[in-house]
Amino acid sequence: MAEEAEAAECPVCLQPFDGESTIPRVLGCGHSTCHDCLVSLPKPPFIKNTIRCPGCTQLVFYPPQGPSALPKNIDLIRLSKPFLSIKPSKSSSSSTTHDFVPNLWSHEFYLHWKHRILPQLSIETSDQTSSFVLHQNHKSKVNVSLFKLAFFSDNDNDENAAAFFKFSYISKVMWLLFKLGNDDSLSELDSIFNLNHPLVSTAYGLWCDHRHNLYLVCEYKARDTSLLNVVVSQQEDLSTFGIIGMELCETVMKLHDYGLVCGCCSLSCFCIDRFGHIVIGLNQVYMVGERLQNMTAQAVSFAHDNSQSLESDFTNALFEIHAFPSPELLVEFVQKQGIHFEFDKSTCTAGYSSDVWSIACILIWFLVGKSFADETYAFLSSFIHEYINGNTCDCENLFVGWLDKVSGFLDNRLGSDHVSIKELLCKCLCHDPGTRPPVIDVWKYMRGLIIKPKFDIIAITEEKSTNTHKCHCLLLGDLLWSSKKTNKVDDRSSMMNDSTHENLVVESDVIEGLRKTSLACTELKGHLDCISGLAVGGGFLFSSSFDKTVEVWSLQGFNHVHTLKGHEHKVMAVVFVDSKPPLCISADNGGDIFIWGITLPFEEKPFRKLNEEKDWRYSGIHALAVSSSGYFYTGSGDKSIKAWSMHDYSLSCTMTGHNSVVSALVVCNEVLYSGSWDGTIRLWCLSDHSPLALLGEEAPGASVLSLSAYTHTLVAAYENGSIKVWYKDKPLNSISAHSSSIFSICMEGQWIFSGGWNKTILVQKLSGDDESQVEITEIGSIAGNSVVTALHYWQGRLFVGQADRIIKVYSFGG
């Protein structure tokens, strides 16, 4: 028994058509939608008098009078059981598609980090000094320090490097960020950027130099405001000592509030701002950590050599950076070098109390002087040497002996009047981190040295203990300790303010594959003049040229198959028609159109010749396009577009409206787009060849030289080097992509390729699903040796026609 047909209904409100409350109106595409829904449907704001059909999404004419000017669908109203409207389905290709550029990172990753990337020209460097300046705007600039996070190892001696893919600045930074590896590194960076307090140096962003080095850019204070200058001046006043101690504690506590721990407080990490407050520099903390890395790595490598020489080098290095690493931090540094011993591991973990140890050392140096630093650095050098050699008992003895000497230093300096200061500082230096007082207790005591409790108007309440929640030690984090670290020192760079350091070498397999191995280039030679057009179909590549020929190349081995001869003028355009039998259409600037049969063996002559009428002002045909509706179109110098029937090859109609040469044609979603030298783009309905809309009327600007379209996106290339993009009928910001004319542009999926006078192929990516967040990112470029005149993308291959008569084919794995 046959199924009963369902009543036809509106594709928007799903109500059955009845001719009274739900009146079907016929759109230009043939689909029907009810009157009320057409009124409420959104209209493209930038393409007047158009609407997208809810059934097939085709852009069709919408009368300014409203839907009442559209005809009623009488058949749907009259028939109680109308015919079902069959929606055409798009057949998915069974062949595997390949991306020309791999999707190295997600759009969410890009959106998260793009605002952290500083412009390439925002950092001012100097070869004579180690200072750097960040230009925030035209009037404001600040001193900054640079800490190298990663670098891309590039082979500068490769002679063919210029011929292959190079990442843009933004993509280079995103790629290096992505290759930093795990979520811990990026989470640590996030924490640094989220720090927002005047006592912590501001992290401005990420910057990449011309050597492919990626840096964290942070605020930098001049050396003359360093805390080191205050400590070595040997102040005698205990109130000054209390102020320094309180300021140090407040600065470190702000880091602890964000769950961050320095792990080693060095005098070089702190400076004094213009209000007299102590500020910590995050980049300086990382620089100290890298020096400690190098020192412990060297100590591990030469553990069994001359111990006195090694300890002396370690002591001198500590003096250079004025650092006081806690014993537990040094133990973890050594363990990260691959050496592990049972050394009370449960209590020897760097955390909040490690900063307390370092603060106490700085304060004792302030009280006692250089003799304390000499003794402490000697102790740390012996401690690390004994630990590396497995003498854990000797390590404990060394610690006890050192603490006794420190106690004697304090007795001589403070006497019996300030026993409580000595007890506090010695408690901060306990071997067991768990027995050290929290930073807040040290702060309270230092405040008491300045303001007596009875005069302190600020009520000091019991704040939450920072020792109870999880912390992250910057010097033990993945930004310093990564599996990709190398022990080689980059001597070419002075970005560390004269301190040597390790570099995070980013694995370069993907990029090196793009540039040298996987991205292969094949050159096709055979034309005698400039390439003017490219087309692919039927297993062949077709190339037109000013030499009046069309060359046919096999897509299997890219060998030359045949030459199509017959044109008496420059061949300006070529297209492939997937029909039975398959056809190739070529057109020249004399107005001649040749239609070739693509069957083996190839015929020597075209089976049909057409010709456009011309006068003395006529400059022939400049563009070709083919539609699935049985027409091909020519864009001409007489400012018109002509539609030719594929059935009898007769001229069906002439579309006029442009004020200059029609230079580009493209068909997409049942719409014909035409670009002209008059700077405008016109949209035409394929069903009746009526005009739909006009783009660029408000500001025509430069001439349109090339068009490309993919699903809901239209891209246009202009004579002034700019690219304009329309996504779902909405224009995006114009892009100044090239410095000169763009002769060809093509789009495949989310990738846009453009090339022209500057001999460079620019690769851009359209990303984002939400219309309000769609944006274009420059991914990179392919440098060439000649003007790019034609581009075509097909199944993972990019075909490039050049003015020097050569066709280049870029593909993977060639």
Side-chain angles (χ1 to χ4, degrees):
M1 185 175 176
E3 253 187 51
E4 187 177 347
E6 297 179 2
E9 59 187 23
C10 173
V12 180
C13 63
L14 304 181
Q15 297 299 315
F17 293 124
D18 57 13
E20 297 178 0
S21 59
T22 311
I23 303 173
R25 297 286 182 179
V26 182
L27 299 173
C29 59
H31 292 96
S32 296
T33 304
C34 78
H35 182 105
D36 293 339
C37 289
L38 286 176
V39 174
S40 59
L41 280 177
K43 314 299 186 298
F46 300 97
I47 306 179
K48 297 178 181 179
N49 300 328
T50 59
I51 195 171
R52 286 203 176 272
C53 171
C56 63
T57 71
Q58 181 178 335
L59 197 66
V60 295
F61 173 72
Y62 183 81
Q65 300 91 341
S68 57
L70 293 172
K72 295 180 181 180
N73 193 326
I74 304 300
D75 290 336
L76 289 181
I77 296 174
R78 184 177 54 207
L79 299 176
S80 58
K81 294 183 179 181
F83 296 104
L84 294 174
S85 176
I86 302 176
K87 193 174 182 179
S89 60
K90 295 182 180 179
S91 58
S92 58
S93 175
S94 59
S95 60
T96 304
T97 60
H98 304 276
D99 286 335
F100 177 71
V101 181
N103 197 10
L104 300 179
W105 52 81
S106 66
H107 184 57
E108 291 75 16
F109 184 87
Y110 170 77
L111 290 178
H112 182 79
W113 290 103
K114 69 172 184 175
H115 300 295
R116 304 296 189 189
I117 301 175
L118 297 174
Q120 189 170 17
L121 300 179
S122 63
I123 301 293
E124 177 185 330
T125 62
S126 175
D127 295 333
Q128 286 77 26
T129 64
S130 57
S131 62
F132 307 93
V133 176
L134 169 65
H135 294 266
Q136 293 180 302
N137 50 53
H138 294 294
K139 296 182 179 180
S140 175
K141 56 183 181 179
V142 294
N143 292 326
V144 293
S145 63
L146 306 181
F147 170 67
K148 185 182 292 185
L149 296 175
F151 76 90
F152 172 63
S153 181
D154 196 6
N155 185 2
D156 298 329
N157 297 322
D158 182 12
E159 296 179 356
N160 297 321
F164 289 94
F165 188 83
K166 289 187 179 295
F167 275 95
S168 68
Y169 172 76
I170 295 293
S171 296
K172 193 188 305 178
V173 176
M174 294 300 299
W175 168 243
L176 291 172
L177 261 180
F178 184 76
K179 291 298 287 182
L180 275 176
N182 52 49
D183 293 335
D184 292 337
S185 297
L186 300 180
S187 177
E188 186 174 335
L189 268 181
D190 258 337
S191 299
I192 291 172
F193 285 122
N194 291 331
L195 280 171
N196 184 19
H197 197 275
L199 298 184
V200 182
S201 64
T202 304
Y204 291 109
L206 301 162
W207 179 71
C208 192
D209 66 2
H210 66 281
R211 294 178 177 176
H212 312 302
N213 299 313
L214 179 65
Y215 295 98
L216 172 65
V217 180
C218 289
E219 182 183 14
Y220 178 69
K221 301 293 184 181
R223 288 185 179 273
D224 56 0
T225 61
S226 172
L227 182 61
L228 177 64
N229 296 331
V230 178
V231 173
V232 298
S233 63
Q234 293 290 321
Q235 298 289 337
E236 299 291 337
D237 188 7
L238 280 182
S239 62
T240 305
F241 167 78
I243 293 174
I244 295 297
M246 189 175 68
E247 290 282 344
L248 278 174
C249 292
E250 288 179 357
T251 302
V252 171
M253 281 193 297
K254 291 307 174 184
L255 279 181
H256 290 185
D257 288 343
Y258 287 89
L260 298 178
V261 172
C262 291
C264 174
C265 294
S266 165
L267 286 170
S268 61
C269 298
F270 299 99
C271 61
I272 301 175
D273 66 11
R274 60 194 180 100
F275 298 109
H277 297 299
I278 293 179
V279 179
I280 187 168
L282 295 177
N283 275 354
Q284 282 67 33
V285 172
Y286 281 119
M287 293 172 190
V288 168
E290 285 194 325
R291 289 299 301 274
L292 290 175
Q293 271 187 336
N294 288 336
M295 292 157 56
T296 54
Q298 186 178 16
V300 169
S301 300
F302 302 99
H304 302 292
D305 292 350
N306 189 337
S307 62
Q308 290 185 349
S309 175
L310 184 61
E311 290 182 22
S312 175
D313 293 341
F314 199 91
T315 300
N316 293 334
L318 287 174
F319 258 118
E320 289 178 7
I321 59 176
H322 310 292
F324 293 96
S326 63
E328 66 269 15
L329 181 75
L330 288 178
V331 167
E332 293 211 39
F333 267 51
V334 172
Q335 289 177 349
K336 282 181 172 291
Q337 302 288 347
I339 295 181
H340 298 271
F341 296 108
E342 292 298 328
F343 183 60
D344 197 13
K345 191 174 181 180
S346 61
T347 59
C348 288
T349 301
Y352 296 112
S353 57
S354 299
D355 286 348
V356 174
W357 198 92
S358 295
I359 290 175
C361 288
I362 292 176
L363 294 176
I364 296 173
W365 188 1
F366 179 85
L367 290 174
V368 175
K370 186 174 179 295
S371 57
F372 167 76
D374 292 337
E375 194 64 43
T376 301
Y377 292 151
F379 153 67
L380 292 175
S381 300
S382 300
F383 177 90
I384 198 70
H385 178 75
E386 295 298 333
Y387 178 79
I388 291 173
N389 288 282
N391 303 323
T392 55
C393 293
D394 292 341
C395 290
E396 295 181 7
N397 294 332
L398 284 171
F399 187 89
V400 172
W402 168 76
L403 194 56
D404 287 342
K405 292 180 180 179
V406 172
S407 178
F409 287 147
L410 291 175
D411 285 336
N412 294 334
R413 171 65 179 84
L414 300 172
S416 59
D417 296 334
H418 302 283
V419 176
S420 58
I421 296 179
K422 171 192 169 184
E423 291 177 350
L424 174 69
L425 294 177
C426 288
K427 193 174 182 180
C428 292
L429 300 179
C430 286
H431 187 223
D432 183 3
T435 60
R436 298 170 193 163
V439 184
I440 185 67
D441 289 350
V442 181
W443 177 83
K444 289 177 182 179
Y445 186 90
M446 294 299 160
R447 184 177 176 83
L449 293 177
I450 307 168
I451 306 175
K452 299 304 178 182
K454 62 180 180 179
F455 299 112
D456 194 353
I457 62 174
I458 300 178
I460 302 177
T461 58
E462 288 297 326
E463 299 183 16
K464 64 178 182 178
S465 174
T466 54
N467 289 327
T468 58
H469 60 275
K470 186 179 179 181
C471 67
H472 177 80
C473 181
L474 296 177
L475 298 193
L476 296 176
D478 287 344
L479 287 183
L480 275 179
W481 299 93
S482 171
S483 60
K484 302 181 183 71
K485 281 281 184 179
T486 176
N487 291 328
K488 295 181 180 180
V489 177
D490 184 7
D491 296 327
R492 298 174 301 170
S493 175
S494 61
M495 294 297 190
M496 288 284 296
N497 294 336
D498 300 330
S499 63
T500 58
H501 59 286
E502 297 171 341
N503 295 312
L504 174 58
V505 180
V506 172
E507 293 177 348
S508 56
D509 51 347
V510 175
I511 298 179
E512 289 297 307
L514 283 171
R515 290 185 64 245
K516 301 174 185 177
T517 306
S518 295
L519 185 58
C521 178
T522 303
E523 292 189 355
L524 308 182
K525 300 179 181 180
H527 280 292
L528 302 177
D529 207 336
C530 172
I531 309 298
S532 59
L534 297 170
V536 170
F540 302 102
L541 167 68
F542 302 90
S543 59
S544 60
S545 170
F546 287 177
D547 65 6
K548 308 175 185 178
T549 67
V550 175
E551 300 289 358
V552 184
W553 314 82
S554 171
L555 290 175
Q556 295 297 323
F558 297 113
N559 54 299
H560 182 261
V561 176
H562 187 69
T563 300
L564 303 178
K565 300 178 181 179
H567 284 281
E568 297 180 356
H569 305 276
K570 295 179 180 178
V571 183
M572 303 297 293
V574 61
V575 292
F576 174 79
V577 183
D578 190 8
S579 59
K580 292 183 180 180
L583 303 174
C584 173
I585 303 176
S586 57
D588 61 37
N589 66 351
D592 294 327
I593 305 168
F594 285 19
I595 302 175
W596 312 82
I598 307 302
T599 54
L600 295 177
F602 285 97
E603 298 291 336
E604 293 298 325
K605 296 181 179 181
F607 75 83
R608 184 64 64 95
K609 293 182 182 180
L610 306 175
N611 187 269
E612 290 189 354
E613 295 181 359
K614 53 184 179 292
D615 56 26
W616 63 274
R617 299 168 298 176
Y618 185 65
S619 59
I621 298 171
H622 289 250
L624 281 171
V626 179
S627 73
S628 58
S629 57
Y631 295 92
F632 74 89
Y633 304 91
T634 56
S636 306
D638 63 358
K639 313 173 190 177
S640 70
I641 303 113
K642 296 180 177 63
W644 303 81
S645 172
M646 291 295 298
H647 302 291
D648 57 5
Y649 305 106
S650 61
L651 178 61
S652 297
C653 73
T654 300
M655 294 167 272
T656 59
H658 284 293
N659 298 322
S660 187
V661 173
V662 178
S663 52
L665 294 173
V666 66
V667 172
C668 185
N669 286 339
E670 301 304 316
V671 174
L672 171 66
Y673 301 88
S674 61
S676 170
W677 288 2
D678 62 14
T680 64
I681 300 170
R682 292 184 175 269
L683 283 65
W684 311 85
C685 179
L686 292 186
S687 59
D688 58 3
H689 298 135
S690 60
L692 287 175
L694 174 64
L695 305 178
E697 182 181 14
E698 299 81 4
S703 301
V704 179
L705 299 185
S706 183
L707 291 174
S708 185
Y710 189 89
T711 60
H712 300 299
T713 307
L714 171 70
V715 292
Y718 290 81
E719 186 182 19
N720 62 1
S722 65
I723 294 175
K724 292 184 181 180
V725 180
W726 287 263
Y727 178 74
K728 292 186 177 179
D729 308 325
K730 179 181 179 181
L732 305 183
N733 292 333
S734 178
I735 308 163
S736 298
H738 294 256
S739 58
S740 52
S741 299
I742 306 173
F743 294 134
S744 184
I745 192 167
C746 70
M747 183 177 188
E748 180 71 20
Q750 57 188 329
W751 299 103
I752 302 173
F753 307 92
S754 59
W757 191 261
N758 63 357
K759 306 178 183 180
T760 300
I761 302 166
L762 196 65
V763 183
Q764 295 172 298
K765 180 181 178 183
L766 188 71
S767 56
D769 298 325
D770 188 355
E771 293 183 31
S772 61
Q773 294 184 349
V774 172
E775 56 184 292
I776 300 173
T777 307
E778 181 182 338
I779 299 299
S781 61
I782 302 175
N785 53 3
S786 182
V787 174
V788 177
T789 54
L791 290 170
H792 188 86
Y793 182 93
W794 178 78
Q795 291 192 359
R797 295 182 176 93
L798 181 65
F799 301 89
V800 181
Q802 300 184 159
D804 63 356
R805 306 169 293 179
I806 296 175
I807 302 169
K808 291 186 176 181
V809 184
Y810 294 96
S811 60
F812 280 122

